[in-house]
Amino acid sequence: MSRVFSGALLALAFAVLLVPLACYALPPVAESMAGSGVERAEAVPDYQEPPSELEGTGPVSAPRPEDPMPDAVRLGQLLDEELSIEGSGSFHAVVSDALTGTVLYERGGSTGLAPASNLKVLTAAAALSAMDADTRFATTVLAGEEPGTVVLRGGGDVLLTAGASSPDTVAGRAGLATLAQRTAAALTADGTGSPVRVRVDDTLFTGPALSDAWGAADVEAGEIAPVHALAVSSAWAEEGTGPGPRVDDAALAAAQSYRDALAEALAPAGIDVEPVAERGTAPADAAALAEVRSAPLAEQVDYMLLNSDNYLAEALARLTASATGRDASFAGGIEAVQAEIAELGVDTSAMVLGDTNGLSAETSVSAAQLTSLMRILLTTSDPDLRSVAGGLPVAALSGTLAGRYDEAADSGAAGIVRAKTGTLLAVTALSGYATDADGRVLVFTFVATGLDGNTMAARNAVDAAAAVLAGCGCR
């Protein structure tokens, strides 16, 4: 798999880069911000009005070297105006031109930070670097060693549904009810009698299920839960995307849901199923009775980025570790992510990862490293990796950016800014890219740290900074 894209082919990569149709082939023009000094068109044609809905993806014209580059001094003045809030905290930022790599703005860009969920961009890139985009993870039922025993083996799919498989969704592509029906068909064909016992094998993931790097408050709040090799809906107690409580043992909870579905499927044949599922393993040569498969990896990565799914991020890191010959543990996942990111061309010498989803305060990743990775993802010839950039939330339209950029001052960024968000109590971050008013694609990372009661103000500031880039003529 191609990992790093040579500078000679940058323009060609942009020509095939998939970005939102809202990022028009013509230069985007943002609405005027009173007093901002940003050069913008006074009359905006209908086709350049901020979009109201996401219409899919399509090719954008390749930036040309002759397109005007923003003036770094003027851009710096505008960004400095936005990246300022009352109270505690400091901003760290890097903005660069995606085509040339020219750094146009930097403020503490080399400082290591805990960038919250922006870290998921690293996990996404590492997963698609180590595995093919169409990789699907199997949840399998095997014949147990004892007659009448079936073993539910987790293969890393933590987006199972308790119901039937849903081919049009990412979460729930593989359903435990469908798996149970297929198992029942195999058991009745073999003449299996009562009672049937259900065991669950979640040994694909090794080591502790809960990381010491996570605070107890985050676990109690449902931000994360013990990580297992199979789970229904990322371990949410109620299927969905949260927020809310998560189950303490996702593997046993999934096994119990499977057991209940199997009991219902076997009832017409008069076969009983023991009421409680337990842990167990199958022999190495056990016959497979049934299986269901997850959505492709690329779709899971998109889902993880759009919903900022902490549990899925940790599972994908462990699967990345397994795919690269490492233990599928917390340590293995961290090592695998960092190694894959280094292989892609990011300088990781000063990088420290406390986890792979962004909750850990032990993480130290700089704005420069995040921006460097974003540029690599935008300019690589590898379509799998390029899909990470194309899967980021779109301002005012999708994912964790759907409810942002609805203020008049920032509305010019709607449909133009595409970025990963990150929020902790003391941190807010935004890392992504935007096409400016002259057709330049600008890559950016903005991180505010040390916040105390002013997180919302800092979030508004980084949103406004990204809006400056989207509307910038800046000369």
Side-chain angles (χ1 to χ4, degrees):
M1 179 183 294
S2 173
R3 296 174 182 266
V4 181
F5 186 52
S6 66
L9 297 177
L10 289 179
L12 177 61
F14 276 118
V16 297
L17 173 64
L18 295 182
V19 298
L21 282 176
C23 293
Y24 312 103
L26 293 176
V29 178
E31 293 181 354
S32 175
M33 288 197 298
S36 68
V38 181
E39 296 182 12
R40 307 169 190 263
E42 294 182 1
V44 181
D46 290 343
Y47 62 81
Q48 289 184 337
E49 290 287 349
S52 59
E53 61 183 359
L54 189 63
E55 297 180 359
T57 58
V60 66
S61 295
R64 300 170 300 176
E66 61 266 26
D67 288 335
M69 184 86 75
D71 178 74
V73 174
R74 182 61 182 140
L75 178 61
Q77 292 171 344
L78 296 171
L79 291 176
D80 284 342
E81 290 175 9
E82 301 296 355
L83 297 176
S84 177
I85 58 173
E86 295 184 359
S88 64
S90 60
F91 286 94
H92 302 259
V94 173
V95 177
S96 65
D97 176 59
L99 186 62
T100 64
T102 301
V103 175
L104 300 170
Y105 180 81
E106 182 170 5
R107 184 196 292 191
S110 62
T111 302
L113 310 161
S117 285
N118 278 25
L119 190 66
K120 292 184 177 72
V121 178
L122 276 69
T123 303
L128 284 168
S129 174
M131 296 177 278
D132 291 335
D134 60 356
T135 300
R136 300 175 68 188
F137 308 108
T139 303
T140 312
V141 176
L142 305 169
E145 187 170 9
E146 299 177 2
T149 299
V150 296
V151 179
L152 176 68
R153 177 180 289 173
D157 186 0
V158 298
L159 295 179
L160 294 162
T161 178
S165 297
S166 177
D168 298 325
T169 63
V170 178
R173 180 71 59 90
L176 293 174
T178 297
L179 185 60
Q181 291 167 358
R182 294 174 181 174
T183 308
L187 292 176
T188 53
D190 289 345
T192 300
S194 296
V196 171
R197 293 171 293 278
V198 173
R199 302 292 181 260
V200 61
D201 177 358
D202 64 342
T203 57
L204 175 64
F205 291 174
T206 62
L210 198 62
S211 172
D212 292 338
W214 299 331
D218 286 329
V219 177
E220 292 171 4
E223 294 292 340
I224 194 63
V227 179
H228 295 276
L230 71 166
V232 172
S233 189
S234 290
W236 293 111
E238 182 178 347
E239 286 197 44
T241 57
R246 298 188 198 245
V247 297
D248 293 332
D249 192 326
L252 274 180
Q256 195 62 41
S257 293
Y258 167 77
R259 177 267 157 209
D260 295 344
L262 183 61
E264 183 176 350
L266 288 173
I271 300 175
D272 295 328
V273 181
E274 289 189 353
V276 179
E278 299 176 353
R279 279 189 164 81
T281 58
D285 59 350
L289 302 176
E291 77 168 25
V292 288
R293 288 185 173 268
S294 71
L297 173 62
E299 294 183 28
Q300 294 202 47
V301 166
D302 280 354
Y303 182 94
M304 185 259 291
L305 293 172
L306 285 172
N307 296 289
S308 204
D309 190 321
N310 294 329
Y311 197 94
L312 178 57
E314 291 297 330
L316 292 179
R318 290 187 179 219
L319 290 166
T320 301
S322 180
T324 55
R326 298 174 172 86
D327 288 338
S329 61
F330 285 121
I334 287 170
E335 181 182 338
V337 168
Q338 192 157 340
E340 291 299 312
I341 295 304
E343 188 70 21
L344 291 176
V346 177
D347 181 1
T348 62
S349 57
M351 180 182 290
V352 177
L353 301 184
D355 63 11
T356 56
N357 76 81
L359 283 175
S360 173
E362 299 173 11
T363 291
S364 180
V365 178
S366 70
Q369 289 168 327
L370 286 165
T371 306
S372 173
L373 176 60
M374 192 63 64
R375 179 172 181 257
I376 289 168
L377 296 175
L378 279 167
T379 59
T380 179
S381 62
D382 187 330
D384 292 359
L385 289 170
R386 200 164 59 244
S387 71
V388 176
L392 294 174
V394 183
L397 296 177
S398 67
T400 53
L401 282 181
R404 292 163 67 165
Y405 293 94
D406 53 359
E407 297 294 330
D410 298 335
S411 62
I416 306 301
V417 170
R418 193 154 202 170
K420 181 69 193 76
T421 60
T423 304
L424 296 172
L425 285 177
V427 177
T428 193
L430 196 66
S431 186
Y433 58 99
T435 307
D436 77 4
D438 291 315
R440 304 298 303 203
V441 177
L442 305 180
V443 186
F444 65 86
T445 296
F446 303 119
V447 184
T449 62
L451 304 173
D452 185 8
N454 55 353
T455 304
M456 183 58 70
R459 195 188 80 169
N460 291 340
V462 300
D463 284 356
V468 165
L469 302 182
C472 193
C474 302
R475 292 184 298 281

